[in-house]
Amino acid sequence: MQKMGLGSLLKQAQKMQEQMQKAQEELAALRVEGTAGGGMVKAVVTGKYEVVEIKIDPEVVNPEDVEMLEDLIVAALNQAFQKVQERAAEEMSKVTGGLGSNLLPGLM
């Protein structure tokens, strides 16, 4: 009886591993957008935390206040990165039944 339990556990672990692989592939293809300044600065990042696009409304470009533009870019990027983290946590939670953040801290 224990062998059946162990076999079942191994099958379940293999299924979880396959689901984890699929979730990681989906996250790698993910693109999320962060905005700042009421949408005047937009940043798009992938699920791998790669910045793929930055859009800046010309109205926010002021040579006298470069620091504000820098702050808006940082805020937009941070918002996008936060969205990736949240999405990764959601996806891993689906696979691990809520244990993902405890089991896989390096992935989220």
Side-chain angles (χ1 to χ4, degrees):
M1 189 102 174
Q2 282 184 327
K3 285 188 178 183
M4 285 185 68
L6 182 58
S8 177
L9 183 61
L10 290 174
K11 284 182 184 182
Q12 190 174 11
Q14 184 178 8
K15 181 179 178 184
M16 184 182 281
Q17 184 179 14
E18 290 168 2
Q19 290 173 331
M20 183 75 67
Q21 178 74 26
K22 182 179 177 189
Q24 288 173 338
E25 289 170 4
E26 289 174 4
L27 286 171
L30 177 69
R31 287 181 173 228
V32 297
E33 181 180 284
T35 62
M40 306 231 2
V41 174
K42 296 178 184 178
V44 178
V45 299
T46 69
K48 290 183 172 184
Y49 296 94
E50 296 170 338
V51 178
V52 293
E53 187 177 329
I54 298 278
K55 294 284 186 186
I56 300 171
D57 188 310
E59 289 183 32
V60 79
V61 180
N62 178 354
E64 303 295 318
D65 194 4
V66 173
E67 188 175 315
M68 180 190 68
L69 179 57
E70 293 169 341
D71 290 344
L72 290 173
I73 292 168
V74 169
L77 286 169
N78 285 333
Q79 184 185 73
F81 291 145
Q82 180 64 35
K83 287 181 179 182
V84 170
Q85 285 181 326
E86 290 169 0
R87 186 72 177 270
E90 288 173 16
E91 292 301 314
M92 293 303 152
S93 180
K94 290 177 189 176
V95 173
T96 63
L99 299 174
S101 59
N102 295 330
L103 296 175
L104 307 164
L107 295 176
M108 294 182 259

